[in-house]
Amino acid sequence: MRFTIRDVAKKANVSVSTVSHALNSTRYVKEETREKILKIADELKYKPSTIAQGLRKKSLETVAVFVPNISSQFFSQILIGINEVALKNNYHIIMANTFFNSEEEEKTLENLKNQFIDGAILVSGNDNVACIKKLKMENFPFVLIARDIDPDIPSILIDNFKATRNIVDYLVTMGHKRIGYVTMNFSGRKTVEDRFLGYKEGLEENNIKYNPDDVLVVDEAMIDEMAVSYRHCKKFFNNKVPTAIITATDNIAAGLYVALKENGFRIPDDVSVVGFDNLPISRFLDPPLTTMKQPKKLMGYKGMEILLDLINKKKLPDPVIKLETKIIERDSVKQII
Amino acid sequence: MRFTIRDVAKKANVSVSTVSHALNSTRYVKEETREKILKIADELKYKPSTIAQGLRKKSLETVAVFVPNISSQFFSQILIGINEVALKNNYHIIMANTFFNSEEEEKTLENLKNQFIDGAILVSGNDNVACIKKLKMENFPFVLIARDIDPDIPSILIDNFKATRNIVDYLVTMGHKRIGYVTMNFSGRKTVEDRFLGYKEGLEENNIKYNPDDVLVVDEAMIDEMAVSYRHCKKFFNNKVPTAIITATDNIAAGLYVALKENGFRIPDDVSVVGFDNLPISRFLDPPLTTMKQPKKLMGYKGMEILLDLINKKKLPDPVIKLETKIIERDSVKQII
DNA sequence: TTGAAAGCGGTACCAA
DNA sequence: TTGGTACCGCTTTCAA
């Protein structure tokens, strides 16, 4: 059996309020009584019940984080950032893995919102716009990471459009004129679509004709991203390859790498590849992958900070925060003379 | 403002107990009143407070999962298994990332134990034996995954010793006689040490003399495992290489791959490599890594199931569950004639 | 078929 | 300097 504050009070011959105050230093308690109370609490190994405290304070100091798939380093890196800030502020994190299932996400969130959590971070996932606007209406504290839905909703983002456009520019600088693209299907994800649009815009600005035959839109759930990418790329890039291929994520690039090699292409001699995300693994692919960095930990960091501000009713300057990206040059792109 | 059960009761002109019973179907309520209550609850968007329910039932249906580093696929795969079972049983997961910091782990756990969580899963991490035995004394429900501490503590494991011994046997079958080993330091982790001991035993049984010059014990925290491995391997395997190298994890192998290649060795032509874990990425390394599979999702799955049994006071047949491993043959090992 | 009220384990207001 | 107690929002026993 666990002891309660009443047990401590009885044993110390004081009232529960005195015990509470002594333990929380919320009002002055005579040194002598205080010590006595502390001693007894210690003897009984008394620990206040978090639930009871939560009921009074109407907070468990807990937030939920929704990610599509923790097995992807993109999400786990963001989680690490979130975790760091949470720890510092004595907040707990409920982890919800949605596998891109919006219904599941909505259901779990609905469930947790009932006082369990103070707020939520929704990382990526399908743009379940209706659900998210509803959240907003309810004034429930939440922030979006890597999810581009509404300029009025606190979001941590990069400029996906600009990022891929820059990649195209970069490749053009390196002499490439035929540039392919591999992406998961957009399925209502603006961030993913923006990358693709940036790609197209990049071509146009460089006077390269957009060629649908050079773009592969993988129409399959990207749970095991590398494997799915590999399977589709293997079929798609069998004899015709552009001189360079951009992928919507590093994980897709990893699958593409193997597919290309198995089909007899050398990277970057026969075909250059540029990824997106700069995952920790990307430097360990062969050849090390040139890629567009997203500041993943920072995104988590900022996201959690904003969420705490929201919970504490601080007002934010600007709901949408766009973070910097940059190209990390490694060895998967070849200069063409 | 949120509405409470009292608001619903008042508006429906019934008592709170009737509302509670109607909503939970815990006793018969006249159809007419029931419908009325449901309707009003719906109108007010009434949702019972999870904290209040938790206080009554003394459970928030929540468990904590401690992992050293979610960024490693080994842990995220286990988490996915845990998550699956949790979801099915309407349990929530508090995620705690320890970065192998036992103190942090202990502190957070101490904090959460106060009624917040019903139990915990401790994945890997340093063998903080004292702390864990204490948990056991307190009768707190918890299970260990990939952590080998005490035969009386519920644990999900593989036979690490046997696994590496089998790898050595395998390599010997493939004609190798000089076999190196790369590992993180044991720092009190029996699972890691066992792998090493299995390696040594394997050598002995095959009449190969153990050569300390062929083993690299990386004496640095393995937070960014691949990067750390790379750095150390690069220096260590500069001219002298065995014909085959076993690594304690696939992540270490990924770092080793790059180090070897940069030092001018071809895999597997100059040196064969065998990993451990069979992470999803391993198939996408170049060459695809031959490795010892640990059933990661299954470990999570089983771990969570056992934990739920523990929480529900079911008694377990045998606390320690050892799961099967097997060698996944890919292309990183060359047969030597 | 339903209601009153105790109680889960704390916090904090009002009094003394 | 401390105590009594209402209350957080629900569940559940006992009684009607």
Side-chain angles (χ1 to χ4, degrees), chain B residues 15 17-18 27-28 30 33 56 58:
Chain B
S15 71
S17 52
T18 302
R27 87 176 174 196
Y28 180 73
K30 204 193 350 169
T33 17
R56 279 292 322 202
K58 289 181 174 303

